[in-house]
Amino acid sequence: MSMTPIAILLGGFFLLLALNVPVAFSMVLACIAALWWQGSIPILTVTMKLYDYPQCPFGQKVRIVLAEKELSYEFVSVDLRRQEQKRPEFLKMNPFGKVPVLTDDDVVVYDSTIINEYLEDAFPDAPPLRPSDPLGKARMRYWNKFVDEHVMNH
C-alpha cells in the first residue's frame, strides 16, 4: 500500500495533535515527515565513529577537535582495563592496539594527531583549527609533537 504525501501529512498532523503537540509545530513536523517519506529530505546519518576510552588523554584531544569543528560522531567505548583494544576485531582497525581510532565510512585513521589532521583536511568547511600560513602550520606541528612526546609520553 503506497501512501501519498497528503495522507502522510494529514496522518502525521492528527497523530501529533493527539499527542498534545501544539498545532503550528504539528503542521511543521508533519510537512517534514511527508517530504522525508517522498525522498525530498535525505536522512542525516552519522558515519564517523570514535573508538576510545573515556579517560584516554589522546582520545580527549580528538574529542576536543570534533567538538570545535562541530562534527557528529558515534562514541564507541573500548575498555582498556579489559584489554578490548587487543581483540582481533579492534586490531583489524589499529594493528598497534591503541585508542583512539576514527572510522569515517570506509576510512580508518588511528593516532590522535593523525586523526586531527584528517579531520581538518576532510572537513574544510567546518570551523578551521589549523593556521593557514606555512610558518603557523609548522609551529602547530611542533607543539603537537612536543605535547605527544614530552607531555603525554607518546
Side-chain angles (χ1 to χ4, degrees), residues 46-64:
V46 175
T47 59
M48 285 195 293
K49 292 183 180 182
L50 180 64
Y51 295 82
D52 192 14
Y53 183 68
Q55 289 79 31
C56 174
F58 300 105
Q60 290 172 354
K61 277 175 47 178
V62 174
R63 291 193 303 273
I64 289 169

Side-chain angles (χ1 to χ4, degrees), residues 52-53 55-63 99-100 111-113 115-116 147-149 151-154:
D52 192 14
Y53 183 68
Q55 289 79 31
C56 174
F58 300 105
Q60 290 172 354
K61 277 175 47 178
V62 174
R63 291 193 303 273
V99 296
D111 186 280
S112 59
T113 300
I115 292 170
N116 289 344
V147 168
D148 284 350
E149 292 177 359
V151 176
M152 298 177 126
N153 296 319
H154 184 52

Side-chain angles (χ1 to χ4, degrees), residues 82-115:
R82 293 185 179 165
Q83 297 288 305
E84 290 178 353
Q85 78 279 16
K86 301 297 182 186
R87 293 184 178 165
E89 59 273 11
F90 187 86
L91 291 171
K92 288 179 186 175
M93 292 186 295
N94 182 353
F96 299 106
K98 294 182 179 183
V99 296
V101 173
L102 181 86
T103 62
D104 184 14
D105 289 325
D106 295 331
V107 175
V108 178
V109 186
Y110 48 87
D111 186 280
S112 59
T113 300
I114 305 303
I115 292 170

